[in-house]
Amino acid sequence: MSDQPIALVTGGAQGIGYACAEALAADGAKLILADVNAEGVAAAAEALGGGTVGLTCDMSDPAQINAMFDTIEAEHGPVSILINNAGIAMPAEFLDLSLESFQKVIDVNLTGTFVALQRAAKTMVTKGIEGSIVNMSSVNAVVSIPAIAAYSASKGGVMQLTKAAALALAPHNIRVNAVGPGSIDTAMMAGVNANPEALERVLSRTPLKRVGSPQEVGDVVAFLASSKASYVTGETIYVDGGRLGLNYTC
């Protein structure tokens, strides 16, 4: 074990999670990636190099989350940077959305985020680590789309969980923030990107008139995790190309 900060990125096998890992690596962190996709997280860890560790974890299962932290602490040391990025959407028309699907999204996106946040924070408090936790919210915490009701509910919950945790952990100098991406070029958006009409609708409500990159989200996450954001806690920063500021236009 060394003094190198240990950063755990959940949902780190691809997309925004992988970009977060790249940005944190550039800042000198030792990386641990977690993902439900065993092959994907192993490949991502190998691609990042530098001793990056890839672990398999289903973020809907609290027992797996706690076991993962036990393993990390025993083999590598305590986590001082946690990026709660793992998430799923499971789109469905509102009247057709099953309770099972709704609960699954909440289990991964909100409950899993809470379990990991609390588990990381307990060790930080016990060991006197002034750590940083960044949760992945979304513009859909504020606005919404009918076909992703569960996702919107989960991300609104993440936004409020971030505030509550930041207040609770401030006496320990542990900062908790969130990032809320807009339309980002990931696998989750592949269907939109392949449909010119759908993409045009997205860009019509994005003042910067383009889709964002995972790296643009990762850079904001790395900033919040760093000492450059040492007086920032309880905030959600929206990386959305200006979407939330856009009112009706002529």
Side-chain angles (χ1 to χ4, degrees):
M1 299 180 189
S2 69
D3 293 332
Q4 186 181 24
I6 295 174
L8 170 62
V9 182
T10 70
Q14 63 180 350
I16 289 174
Y18 186 85
C20 291
E22 287 184 307
L24 291 166
D27 285 349
K30 174 178 175 57
L31 294 175
I32 299 178
L33 308 182
D35 203 285
V36 71
N37 180 350
E39 292 185 3
V41 76
E46 183 177 359
L48 285 166
T52 299
V53 176
L55 300 175
T56 305
C57 183
D58 180 350
M59 292 300 292
S60 71
D61 184 346
Q64 287 193 37
I65 297 171
N66 285 312
M68 173 179 64
F69 275 94
D70 290 344
T71 297
I72 292 169
E73 291 169 5
E75 297 182 2
H76 307 283
V79 170
S80 56
I81 298 171
L82 169 64
I83 312 302
N84 262 320
N85 168 73
I88 59 174
M90 301 184 73
E93 293 304 318
F94 185 81
L95 295 179
D96 298 325
L97 177 62
S98 69
L99 178 58
E100 181 182 21
S101 293
F102 183 90
Q103 191 63 60
K104 179 66 174 179
V105 173
I106 296 296
D107 286 346
V108 175
N109 296 6
L110 182 55
T111 306
T113 292
F114 165 73
V115 173
L117 190 165
Q118 186 187 64
R119 178 63 178 78
K122 284 181 177 179
T123 296
M124 290 177 187
V125 170
T126 299
K127 294 187 175 294
I129 297 170
E130 297 182 358
S132 178
I133 298 168
V134 184
N135 300 320
M136 198 58 64
S137 185
S138 168
V139 292
N140 291 290
V142 180
V143 295
S144 192
I145 298 171
I148 53 169
Y151 183 83
S152 298
S154 71
K155 294 304 184 178
V158 168
M159 177 182 66
Q160 287 295 85
L161 175 63
T162 297
K163 293 179 182 180
L167 296 173
L169 298 173
H172 304 283
N173 288 318
I174 298 168
R175 297 182 300 106
V176 186
N177 291 290
V179 171
S183 296
I184 307 299
D185 188 12
T186 64
M188 192 177 287
M189 233 196 117
V192 172
N193 289 338
N195 183 330
E197 291 184 2
L199 183 59
E200 178 56 32
R201 284 196 298 272
V202 168
L203 298 183
S204 73
R205 61 181 191 267
T206 305
L208 287 183
K209 295 301 180 185
R210 65 177 178 85
V211 172
S213 72
Q215 290 73 27
E216 288 174 308
V217 179
D219 285 343
V220 176
V221 168
F223 163 72
L224 288 173
S226 76
S227 60
K228 294 177 181 179
S230 57
Y231 201 51
V232 181
T233 195
E235 297 295 332
T236 298
I237 296 180
Y238 293 98
V239 185
D240 67 351
R243 177 177 299 176
L244 290 182
L246 180 65
N247 203 334
Y248 290 106
T249 58
C250 297

